[in-house]
Structures are given as C-alpha cells and as structure tokens.
C-alpha cells in the first residue's frame, strides 16, 4: 500500500517538470496523509496536461456513501480494471500523482521502522499512477477524488514491504493520461514495479507516524 508521501515542489516546478499548461498553488508538504487535498495531473482534451487539486481517497461516482473514500486510498494494479469501485475510473479517468518520495514501514523486532523512498536522480519526481472519480451529493458541490494504484515490490522495496506505488516513466505519460485510450491490456501492462535503480531508500524517525510530523 501507500499511506503517506511527500511533495516538496512548487506549482511552477511541477509545470516545468511535467510540461503542464497550468497548476494551482499548494503548500510544500512532507507527510501527506489520506483525505488530504493533493495535486494531480490529468489530460485536458484537445489542450494538454493540467494540474488539479483533488481529495486523496476515491469516492466512486455511483456511491450513496461518501465515507467510502476513507478506505479507498489505494487500488491494486492486479484488479483495478475489474473491480466495480475502480473500473470506470480506470477506463476513462486516469491521472498522475506527483511525489518527491513516499514512506513505508518495515517490521523489525516487534516494531515498525519507517523508510523514505525517493528518486535516485536529484531534482526528480515520482509520478504515481492514479485514477479519478467525481461524486456529486444531493445538495452541494462535486467532490473530485483520487487513489494511488499499487503493485508488487522491486528489489529496493522487497525488504521493506510487499507493495509499492506504480511509478510511471515519462515515455508512458501520454498513453496513461489519454482519456480516449481504451487499450486495457496495454494500460494494465504499465502497472508493474519500476526499475530498482530509479529509487533509493533510507530509514527515518518514527515521528513520521504522526500525520502532524
């Protein structure tokens, strides 16, 4: 799973790095928890890539209970195309979730040691594979939400945890974001672990366990 991550970038940096048309401002954050408002990248038809602020925790468009979003922070890549709560979003509403790194916890001698996993190359960002949904209450404004797609571990992650976010590479962005791309087999083929040499990990303080850290 992926339950915490960091994004130490400005909107301008994301615009430059991901070649966006626009991106709303947001604060630098080093311990982002589910239910937070986060920036995602989507493809605006006939225009280009744009940034958008959404809620982390997917609320399926058809649900009557928005609290479902508190449980749908991640979607397993092995089943995201088939499960009812995810398949419509996977088919038509895919996004990238930019990150400076993410946290995972390794069981060690009866306790859990947090690790920070980040791009090996300096001044780079991860691009998590994500999906979006728009839920409209009977009265009120539409809530757009997202979740992170996960997969099995690569060699860096395997000693730490048995899951990791799907991290897409620049050459995959266009196909992933294209809302008209309905090649399910090709999309699912992207949902494996990234190359181990693209990421590094080191232990961090247990203070990160607090969402206020």
């Amino acid at each position: 799973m992926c339950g915490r991550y960091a994004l130490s970038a400005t909107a301008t940096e994301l615009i430059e790095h991901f070649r966006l048309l626009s991106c709303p401002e947001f604060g630098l954050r080093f311990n982002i928890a589910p239910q937070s408002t986060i920036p995602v990248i989507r493809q605006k038809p006939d225009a280009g890539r744009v940034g958008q602020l959404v809620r982390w925790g997917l609320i399926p468009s058809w649900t009557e209970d928005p609290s479902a979003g508190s449980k749908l922070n991640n979607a397993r890549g092995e089943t995201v195309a088939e499960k009812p709560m995810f398949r419509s979003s996977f088919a038509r509403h895919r996004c990238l979730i930019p990150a400076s790194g993410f946290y995972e916890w390794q069981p060690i001698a009866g306790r859990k040691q947090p690790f920070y996993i980040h791009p090996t190359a300096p001044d780079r960002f991860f691009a998590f594979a994500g999906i979006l949904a728009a839920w409209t209450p009977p009265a009120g404004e539409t809530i757009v939400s997202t979740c992170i797609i996960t997969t099995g571990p690569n060699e860096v992650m395997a000693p730490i945890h048995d899951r990791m976010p799907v991290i897409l590479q620049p050459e995959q962005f266009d196909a992933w974001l294209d809302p008209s791309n309905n090649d399910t087999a090709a999309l699912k083929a992207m949902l494996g672990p990234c190359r181990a040499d693209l990421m590094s990990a080191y232990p961090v303080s247990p203070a990160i366990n607090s969402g206020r850290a």
Side-chain angles (χ1 to χ4, degrees):
M1 62 174 291
C2 179
R4 299 280 178 83
Y5 74 97
L7 181 57
S8 55
T10 64
T12 299
E13 288 172 324
L14 291 188
I15 288 171
E16 294 175 352
H17 185 85
F18 290 98
R19 300 179 182 177
L20 308 182
L21 297 176
S22 63
C23 184
E25 292 293 338
F26 56 90
L28 307 188
R29 298 173 63 190
F30 300 92
N31 188 8
I32 302 173
Q35 301 302 299
S36 299
T37 298
I38 62 171
V40 302
I41 297 164
R42 64 179 182 85
Q43 182 74 20
K44 190 175 183 179
D46 303 318
R49 301 174 191 166
V50 296
Q52 181 177 354
L53 296 179
V54 305
R55 181 185 297 181
W56 181 15
L58 195 79
I59 305 173
S61 60
W62 44 263
T63 189
E64 296 181 358
D65 181 8
S67 67
S70 66
K71 301 177 182 178
L72 300 180
N73 307 315
N74 295 165
R76 293 178 69 91
E78 297 87 341
T79 56
V80 66
E82 292 82 32
K83 284 203 169 184
M85 65 279 287
F86 303 129
R87 65 189 177 199
S88 177
S89 293
F90 179 77
R92 294 186 294 274
H93 305 294
R94 297 176 298 274
C95 67
L96 302 174
I97 301 172
S100 301
F102 65 96
Y103 301 95
E104 197 51 83
W105 283 257
Q106 179 189 44
I108 299 176
R111 63 182 179 89
K112 290 189 175 182
Q113 170 63 54
F115 280 77
Y116 183 61
I117 301 95
H118 62 95
T120 302
D123 302 319
R124 303 293 291 179
F125 299 100
F126 288 142
F128 300 154
I131 54 177
L132 296 165
W135 180 80
T136 303
E141 295 184 1
T142 296
I143 298 173
V144 180
S145 58
T146 189
C147 73
I148 296 170
I149 301 177
T150 67
T151 186
N154 60 19
E155 294 88 340
V156 171
M157 285 300 300
I160 301 172
H161 199 272
D162 62 358
R163 303 294 295 177
M164 63 178 283
V166 172
I167 298 171
L168 298 179
Q169 302 308 308
E171 61 271 19
Q172 298 174 306
F173 292 173
D174 285 342
W176 179 257
L177 291 174
D178 184 357
S180 67
N181 182 3
N182 57 9
D183 188 342
T184 301
L187 291 167
K188 288 183 69 174
M190 300 183 192
L191 303 182
C194 72
R195 288 181 4 228
D197 64 297
L198 298 177
M199 59 166 54
S200 300
Y202 61 86
V204 295
S205 167
I208 203 69
N209 295 344
S210 169
R212 296 182 298 274

